[in-house]
Amino acid sequence: MTVEQTIMTSKEAPSSLSLFLAGALHADRLQANAVRLAIVVLASWAIVAVPGFGSTANFSSIMYATAAIGIAAVGMSLITLSGNLFMLSMGATTAVSTVLFASTLHFGLPLAMLIIVFTGLVVGCVQGIIVAVAKANPIITTIAASSIIMGFGAYYSGGLTVVGQGDASWLSVGRVADGVPNQILIFGVFSLFVHFMCQWTRLGHELRLVGLNPVAGEYAWLRTKTVIIIAYAIAGAAAALAGCLYGSQAAQGNLRLGSGIDFDAIAAVLVGGVAIKGGRGLVIDAAIGAIFLALISNVLLLKGLSLEIQLLIKGLVVIVSVIIGAVAQRMGKK
């Protein structure tokens, strides 16, 4: 190679910075990266402008607010990635899990959590079988499942609050370090485990391909039914795990705890940048979306805004995120 050819090649080769920018601004990653930037900007501004935001106690409260919703959002992201929109029985599963958690806590915290998470996994698996094998509509299926689950919870508890008889302090108030609760550790480990599964295993790759085009997936001999069932099973387990976190915080279980987690999980998935049509996005995006929404809620709370205003602003954030995602996808196609 001559000197002139070497100079021309070095000029034509893209720099590391240009490659990074191209990846960050790609249509599939634009919304997710915008949320990451928004977290940094919002947190930096709040530390300076919002009294009390930068305290250790407040950061700890943000982590507690993020953990259960983040776990549910990670589970919900698998349903969305698989092309089945959302799992609308997640709130019911979480609520009933708080009751079951309080009822089984006398067996010890590890065994109680294992029982509840396994129960959630089975409940999710049944819904996955109905959707994948019977080809039932995923929204109608999970709405019906929500009714059945809540009905069981009401029958089991008699509509009453169940007080746990056991020690759940490790999960409720335990800390990894000063200001860092054990709940956020569970959220982080669960998020990374599911993210790794989706990014580096055959199951994860098949899940994405099924979400992009389920018909083509069947012709390509992908395990379409299996991956959908597993997605629902993990989502059910995630909802049950979130119920354990709520139950430990309240030291009791009732059917109101965590019953509205569906909307928060869906909001985190959409805000984080997981494509509603399936197949595009990362599991970790949903986790980051949950962190972003927790930050917004915390700032609004510290500002003294009413619950109605908080819900209004969170709803607007979700709508704007969906619009940004849709626009980015259209730009990418062009």
Side-chain angles (χ1 to χ4, degrees), residues 39 59-60 62-77 113 170-171 176 180-196 238 241-242 245 249 261 264-265 268-269 283-295:
I39 289 175
F59 276 122
S60 182
I62 293 173
M63 293 180 197
Y64 275 113
T66 303
I69 294 173
I71 289 171
V74 168
M76 186 74 79
S77 69
M113 292 182 66
W170 184 90
L171 186 60
V176 181
V180 182
N182 289 335
Q183 291 197 4
I184 206 70
L185 174 65
I186 293 173
F187 165 54
V189 171
F190 182 76
S191 300
L192 291 175
F193 171 77
V194 179
H195 178 74
F196 175 84
L241 181 58
L245 268 58
Q249 287 179 358
I261 203 171
D264 292 323
V269 168
V283 167
I284 206 69
D285 292 339
I288 292 173
I291 295 171
F292 179 58
L293 291 175
L295 278 176

Side-chain angles (χ1 to χ4, degrees), residues 5 9 84 120 160 164 174 207 226 262 268 278 297 320 331-332:
Q5 289 175 323
T9 302
N84 288 289
L160 303 175
L207 181 73
T226 301
D262 301 279
S297 296
V320 170
M331 291 173 60

Side-chain angles (χ1 to χ4, degrees), residues 7-24:
I7 294 173
M8 289 179 65
T9 302
S10 63
K11 288 181 179 180
E12 292 172 358
S15 65
S16 299
L17 178 60
S18 62
L19 288 173
F20 172 78
L21 290 175

